[in-house]
Amino acid sequence: MNKKCECGRVNPYGTEVCGSCGKPLVDPDSNRLLNMRYEGAARRSQTYSTSIIDKIWNFFSSVKVGIGLIVVTLIASMIGTIFPQELFIPPGEDPSVHYFEEYGPLGQLYYSFGFHNLYGSWWYMLLIAALGISILIASIDRFFPLYRALRSQRVTRHPNFLHRQRIFGTSHVENVDETMEKAKKALQKRRYKIREEDGNLLAEKNRWARWGPYVNHIGLIVFLIGASLRFVPGMYVHDNVWVREGETEVVPGTSGEFFVENLAFTMEVYDEDDPLFQEGMEASNAVMFESLFRTDAVLYRPEGTLGLDQSLVEVDRHGIEVNDPLHFDDFSLYQVDYKLHELSEMTFDVEDRLTNEEVGSFAVDLNNPEDDYSLSNGETVRIHSYFPNYIINDEGIPATENAVPDNPAFIFEMVNDDTEEEEHTFIGIQRNFDITPNDEPHRYSYSLSGIDTNHVTGLTVRQDNTIPYLIIGGAIFMIGLAQGSYWSHRRIWLQAKNNEVWVAAHTNKNWQSLKKDISNVAHYAKLSMPKDQTDLEDHDKS
């Protein structure tokens, strides 16, 4: 139910101080100082609590809830920095294996709880969303009542309003009009904005400083929106691509719109005999220090209909180095890693054990092997199984750890013309044996006759369209911080009561500066210095 004040203003239910004349509507006969934090205006969170919407509103508008969400978010964010996030482990590594091998049982536990990808997890995003909602609702709950109260305040205030301000005093004067005029001039010199009504004065300064916390909140909300946009497609990309010399790969995150070719990879090292670097190498137990690693890259863009006469058109070429990326559109390609002398091709000779003669040879592309190979004698070798990085799994079965040919192994298959049976042979690095159920040797044997290697470059592609949001949000936050920290909202009321002048004052911070302003006015207008009623209360208690 609304409350109608004696001045005629109808105040919303829950209002403690009339928004027009300032008469206390709660405990009007009390001598306690007024709560001026929100000018006594009614706030929804302190007024309504019946419906489910009211309960949700009251929950998120609570300062305690907001602080709790901030603490929980900070703790979660700190946990995410104990070990590197999955995004920053070596490219191609299995996270479940990497965290255990690098950090032991604690790393395995870290991975099991999902902390390796914490900042992209649904529950962390839910925390960020809840924090943003809390900031938004708390700001709305407080800003609009305060704004309406300050906008509608009158110059002439109820005597009980003045008496219950922290700074209050009365002075007996001979000429009220002359005293008020002197006080007005003194206040104008100190850059107060003056309003007059019926011979009374309201001097106000820096009202905009009251909005500092809400500007802070706006900055935080913009910053949180920017952080959340990192998970919107097209706003943020941080991915890795490995490109072998002479090969072309699609740039991740570009939806197939760009390709990059590695023309050549170059690595240079510092001279190990140079005394300038010897001390550092010995201290770090390093074998060598790289002075340069660079990828001579060509950027392409496809043209034509997808799958039909599509060709790659050169867009740019650039020598990508550690601090010299290739920029294109909103993307950048950075040099982050390399791998020298990766196996690329293995050549095998095939011998007929019956004649002890070589029947042919064939070369296998380890990154793109064919299904079968023809020999010079007309025979065909078929690849039955290929393991690029050979391991024996937990079930004791041959498998591959990944698709990188670090430890290649094969099972070759040929048909014995005499028995017309298929012969299978396992061959890998320092491994070569026939696969036979009866221990009888196969007719054909294989031997490794040569290998070829090439260099592989590791590039990181980055796109971050959220940076403007983060910068703008951070800038708004800093403006609000300065606005609320370095300035204070000050008000001084002077009201004529017969042959007396009543002086009351309020500020949201920095009371000593306000007292200094009042002292200057009192000296110039020949008024008694008002008392700080908190000092009187402390004296009474003592």
Side-chain angles (χ1 to χ4, degrees):
M1 177 180 245
N2 295 335
K3 295 182 180 181
K4 186 174 182 179
C5 180
E6 62 185 33
C7 69
R9 178 183 175 85
V10 178
N11 297 281
Y13 174 73
T15 303
E16 297 180 2
V17 176
C18 176
S20 179
C21 70
K23 177 184 177 181
L25 303 177
V26 178
D27 295 332
D29 298 326
S30 173
N31 291 322
R32 290 184 294 119
L33 298 182
L34 289 176
N35 181 6
M36 297 290 289
R37 176 173 293 181
Y38 304 107
E39 302 294 311
R43 290 164 46 207
R44 173 172 180 158
S45 61
Q46 304 296 320
T47 306
Y48 303 102
S49 60
T50 55
S51 68
I52 184 65
I53 295 178
D54 294 334
K55 295 183 184 300
I56 294 174
W57 183 276
N58 296 346
F59 175 80
F60 281 107
S61 67
S62 170
V63 173
K64 292 181 180 179
V65 171
I67 293 175
L69 288 171
I70 291 174
V71 171
V72 172
T73 304
L74 288 176
I75 292 174
S77 301
M78 288 189 293
I79 291 174
T81 63
I82 294 175
F83 299 127
Q85 292 287 288
E86 181 181 354
L87 190 65
F88 301 103
I89 68 174
E93 290 277 352
D94 184 352
S96 61
V97 177
H98 173 81
Y99 282 97
F100 178 74
E101 290 182 348
E102 291 291 327
Y103 310 111
L106 188 60
Q108 183 63 38
L109 191 66
Y110 190 82
Y111 173 80
S112 301
F113 279 110
F115 294 145
H116 66 292
N117 193 22
L118 184 143
Y119 304 112
S121 61
W122 65 268
W123 61 268
Y124 187 81
M125 295 305 300
L126 192 63
L127 268 179
I128 296 297
L131 180 58
I133 293 172
S134 176
I135 293 173
L136 180 62
I137 291 180
S139 299
I140 294 174
D141 187 65
R142 291 160 173 80
F143 172 78
F144 288 102
L146 177 61
Y147 174 77
R148 287 192 294 264
L150 291 176
R151 184 186 61 179
S152 62
Q153 64 176 339
R154 287 173 50 190
V155 175
T156 302
R157 307 296 268 178
H158 193 275
N160 209 0
F161 174 87
L162 300 176
H163 182 71
R164 293 173 64 177
Q165 294 299 315
R166 175 173 168 175
I167 294 179
F168 173 74
T170 62
S171 299
H172 182 81
V173 296
E174 295 181 0
N175 190 325
V176 173
D177 293 338
E178 181 181 345
T179 300
M180 297 292 281
E181 187 64 28
K182 288 181 178 180
K184 176 182 175 181
K185 290 181 179 180
L187 289 167
Q188 287 176 334
K189 286 182 179 180
R190 302 192 75 83
R191 299 181 181 178
Y192 278 83
K193 182 180 179 181
I194 307 297
R195 291 172 55 197
E196 298 183 70
E197 179 185 86
D198 299 331
N200 301 318
L201 297 179
L202 168 59
E204 189 172 12
K205 185 177 183 180
N206 300 334
R207 182 191 294 186
W208 54 272
R210 291 289 284 273
W211 316 132
Y214 308 104
V215 174
N216 276 347
H217 292 176
I218 293 173
L220 283 174
I221 290 171
V222 173
F223 191 92
L224 292 176
I225 289 174
S228 302
L229 286 176
R230 289 193 166 205
F231 302 95
V232 175
M235 293 298 294
Y236 181 79
V237 174
H238 187 118
D239 209 344
N240 301 300
V241 59
W242 289 88
V243 189
R244 297 177 176 88
E245 283 185 331
E247 295 189 3
T248 302
E249 298 286 347
V250 64
V251 179
T254 64
S255 302
E257 293 186 8
F258 291 96
F259 291 76
V260 60
E261 180 185 6
N262 178 7
L263 293 179
F265 178 79
T266 305
M267 187 188 77
E268 299 176 2
V269 298
Y270 290 110
D271 185 1
E272 61 181 8
D273 295 328
D274 190 337
L276 183 63
F277 304 106
Q278 281 184 346
E279 183 177 349
M281 294 174 67
E282 292 174 358
S284 60
N285 294 322
V287 178
M288 60 183 180
F289 282 161
E290 299 93 342
S291 62
L292 170 72
F293 47 104
R294 180 184 65 229
T295 302
D296 294 322
V298 181
L299 185 70
Y300 297 100
R301 197 166 203 164
E303 284 191 355
T305 306
L306 182 63
L308 298 174
D309 300 326
Q310 190 179 57
S311 60
L312 296 179
V313 177
E314 181 177 332
V315 176
D316 193 9
R317 59 177 60 209
H318 184 72
I320 304 176
E321 299 179 16
V322 174
N323 295 316
D324 186 14
L326 168 60
H327 299 287
F328 59 98
D329 278 10
D330 294 331
F331 298 89
S332 298
L333 278 171
Y334 292 85
Q335 182 73 60
V336 294
D337 207 350
Y338 61 88
K339 184 179 182 181
L340 301 179
H341 307 298
E342 181 187 80
L343 293 173
S344 61
E345 186 177 87
M346 299 178 74
T347 303
F348 300 93
D349 293 334
V350 184
E351 182 180 331
D352 188 338
R353 287 173 173 159
L354 295 180
T355 61
N356 293 324
E357 294 180 354
E358 184 179 305
V359 296
S361 63
F362 61 97
V364 180
D365 184 346
L366 299 178
N367 297 302
N368 188 25
E370 298 179 10
D371 293 332
D372 49 57
Y373 298 86
S374 298
L375 303 179
S376 56
N377 68 342
E379 299 288 346
T380 300
V381 178
R382 188 173 73 88
I383 297 181
H384 179 276
S385 301
Y386 172 44
F387 311 100
N389 198 356
Y390 173 74
I391 60 170
I392 298 293
N393 62 21
D394 296 336
E395 289 78 24
I397 301 174
T400 184
E401 187 173 1
N402 50 50
V404 181
D406 288 334
N407 185 27
F410 303 87
I411 296 179
F412 292 134
E413 178 184 289
M414 282 186 68
V415 177
N416 189 327
D417 291 338
D418 295 337
T419 62
E420 296 185 352
E421 294 181 355
E422 294 179 347
E423 296 182 348
H424 298 91
T425 301
F426 181 93
I427 185 169
I429 297 176
Q430 297 182 344
R431 300 179 184 88
N432 191 341
F433 55 87
D434 297 336
I435 302 175
T436 175
N438 51 20
D439 294 331
E440 293 183 3
H442 292 166
R443 176 176 177 178
Y444 298 103
S445 65
Y446 303 84
S447 60
L448 178 63
S449 60
I451 61 172
D452 195 9
T453 63
N454 63 1
H455 302 325
V456 187
T457 185
L459 304 175
T460 290
V461 56
R462 292 179 184 171
Q463 177 200 37
D464 196 349
N465 291 329
T466 68
I467 289 180
Y469 294 90
L470 302 179
I471 293 175
I472 292 173
I476 293 174
F477 179 85
M478 294 305 297
I479 291 172
L481 184 64
Q483 180 179 345
S485 300
Y486 295 103
W487 287 272
S488 58
H489 178 213
R490 307 175 191 178
R491 283 174 293 172
I492 302 174
W493 294 272
L494 290 94
Q495 294 192 185
K497 303 288 185 179
N498 298 322
N499 290 329
E500 287 186 337
V501 173
W502 286 22
V503 180
H506 178 267
T507 182
N508 61 326
K509 65 170 64 71
N510 200 355
W511 288 88
Q512 294 302 320
S513 293
L514 177 63
K515 291 178 182 179
K516 184 177 180 180
D517 288 345
I518 296 174
S519 176
N520 180 272
V521 173
H523 176 75
Y524 187 80
K526 301 296 189 289
L527 293 171
S528 301
M529 182 64 186
K531 303 296 182 181
D532 186 337
Q533 300 196 73
T534 58
D535 295 340
L536 297 177
E537 290 179 357
D538 294 340
H539 180 269
D540 292 341
K541 289 179 182 179
S542 63

